[in-house]
Amino acid sequence: MTKVLVVGDLHAPATHKNYLKFVKKIQAKYNTTKTVFIGDIIDHEAISRHQKNPNLPASLDEYIVALKEIKKWHTAFPNAVVTIGNHDDRVCRRAESEGIPGMYLKSFNDVYGTEGWDWIHEYEHDDVLYTHGIGWGGKTPAFNAANYLRKSVVCGHTHSIAAINWHNNGSSLLFGMNVGAGVDNSHLAMSYGRYSLKKPMISCGVVINGKPYLEIM
């Protein structure tokens, strides 16, 4: 029996201080056998082209604090799949915009010391697609993608949504699961959403033999 633990967006160093403890509790509850980080492991606020909070640290200082957070997660989950998110990819996109070929960049594993983690954009297992969810919108992003792709989908990206939606066409079942996030909404890197009515759902997901379960912290 395959039991997949799905970890929401971490945005290190803006990760909720209790999220790791919560996720480990869910791992033990379901006795999961695989771990998928759904993307945006790192925030990379300092190198963003967007307007930044002037009270946040510079890029090297941000990296040092983020690395400390990532090491805790790597120790807890030494073997995992990471579906690369738009924040993870900021360095690569910034380099590309400046005309710097990818051969000059280190891998995520080299930069963050995450040997045993497989950083990829999409992962499919038991007929379920796991991906960060870049570009997917609406009230049910994962479900919208599932209907379009005609396969079950798990994604993150939209912090304020933690939900499972099903579709039954009479001969097969499809689901879309948004797993929420593990961010600290009081962190300065999250200040862009401080006045939003929708706050992050601190949660994670589990998929057992292709069927989803959602856990709220």
Side-chain angles (χ1 to χ4, degrees):
M1 180 180 291
T2 303
K3 301 177 181 180
V4 182
L5 174 68
V6 190
V7 182
D9 299 22
L10 300 180
H11 285 266
T15 311
H16 194 291
K17 65 179 181 179
N18 296 325
Y19 191 55
L20 177 56
K21 181 179 179 181
F22 166 71
V23 171
K24 289 171 69 175
K25 178 182 175 181
I26 301 306
Q27 180 195 34
K29 175 181 176 179
Y30 289 93
N31 192 26
T32 57
T33 55
K34 288 181 178 290
T35 302
V36 175
F37 290 86
I38 210 64
D40 282 359
I41 301 293
I42 311 107
D43 191 70
H44 284 142
E45 168 73 14
I47 64 167
S48 169
R49 292 188 181 277
H50 299 298
Q51 182 177 339
K52 306 172 185 63
N53 189 310
N55 297 304
L56 283 166
S59 55
L60 182 57
D61 296 314
E62 181 189 21
Y63 165 76
I64 291 170
V65 181
L67 180 62
K68 184 177 179 180
E69 179 69 31
I70 295 302
K71 282 184 175 180
K72 292 190 295 184
W73 286 88
H74 185 250
T75 298
F77 304 100
N79 296 289
V81 171
V82 181
T83 61
I84 298 168
N86 52 302
H87 281 252
D88 302 320
D89 207 29
R90 272 179 170 170
V91 174
C92 300
R93 288 185 284 114
R94 186 72 181 267
E96 188 176 75
S97 70
E98 299 295 335
I100 300 172
M103 62 186 237
Y104 288 106
L105 303 179
K106 291 183 178 180
S107 69
F108 287 106
N109 282 334
D110 285 341
V111 174
Y112 290 100
T114 53
E115 183 180 355
W117 285 11
D118 187 14
W119 297 71
I120 54 179
H121 286 281
E122 294 183 345
Y123 174 66
E124 191 163 342
H125 187 77
D126 286 343
D127 296 321
V128 178
L129 177 67
Y130 300 82
T131 188
H132 183 59
I134 300 168
W136 299 349
K139 294 181 179 179
T140 56
F143 186 57
N144 294 346
N147 278 320
Y148 182 81
L149 297 171
R150 306 308 304 155
K151 67 174 62 178
S152 294
V153 172
V154 178
C155 73
H157 190 55
T158 308
H159 300 172
S160 61
I161 301 177
I164 301 170
N165 300 95
W166 288 90
H167 172 78
N168 181 6
N169 65 8
S171 59
S172 64
L173 288 170
L174 294 175
F175 72 84
M177 177 165 69
N178 280 81
V179 297
V183 299
D184 176 5
N185 201 45
S186 67
H187 193 282
L188 288 176
M190 298 289 114
S191 62
Y192 62 88
R194 63 185 176 274
Y195 299 123
S196 174
L197 293 177
K198 294 182 178 181
K199 306 303 181 184
M201 291 295 301
I202 310 304
S203 50
C204 67
V206 175
V207 181
I208 301 177
N209 283 354
K211 293 190 177 179
Y213 301 83
L214 193 61
E215 294 281 350
I216 310 297
M217 189 170 88

